[in-house]
Amino acid sequence: GGSPWTPGSGGGEAPGSSNASGAVSYNELVEAFKVMDLSHSGCITAEELKELLKRFGHPISDDEAQAMVEVADSNRDGMLDLGDIWSLLTETPSDLPCGFGLQGGWQGRQEG
């Protein structure tokens, strides 16, 4: 059986199709998730979440990554599936340590 996360099997999104606000599109998130899900389990760890956000230009600390997992982990297995991450990024729960959220184009951490 093939993995659901086979690289290159994603849809044919047009280059530059993300919206102009700087927010990450669902398709971009899916592609990044596939790359980070090294075990092809459909879930990523706090460490993998940290790497995923870093790819989008938003580095976070280990503590922040762990806190985000604790907030968004819907089934309490210590890992996030794609739905957990999308909810985390679009809903911006108030108890997160930093203001991540797609609605405002990743408001919160500003480098510099």
Side-chain angles (χ1 to χ4, degrees):
S3 165
W5 301 118
T6 304
S9 67
E13 300 88 44
S17 62
S18 61
N19 51 25
S21 71
V24 178
S25 74
Y26 187 75
N27 286 337
E28 287 172 315
L29 180 63
V30 169
E31 291 305 311
F33 186 89
K34 290 178 191 177
V35 172
M36 298 316 306
D37 182 19
L38 300 177
S39 63
H40 305 293
S41 64
C43 295
I44 61 172
T45 63
E47 184 63 31
E48 289 167 331
L49 174 65
K50 185 177 154 186
E51 282 301 310
L52 185 146
L53 293 175
K54 187 169 150 187
R55 282 173 176 264
F56 285 116
H58 299 281
I60 61 172
S61 70
D62 290 337
D63 288 344
E64 287 171 323
Q66 190 58 51
M68 292 172 97
V69 169
E70 288 172 9
V71 166
D73 181 13
S74 59
N75 63 359
R76 301 289 171 230
D77 64 353
M79 299 175 77
L80 299 181
D81 63 25
L82 188 59
D84 290 336
I85 295 170
W86 185 247
S87 295
L88 177 72
L89 298 180
T90 55
E91 294 171 12
T92 318
S94 59
D95 46 347
L96 280 182
C98 47
F100 281 104
L102 294 182
Q103 310 306 37
W106 297 83
Q107 74 272 22
R109 286 179 73 97
Q110 299 295 324
E111 295 299 317

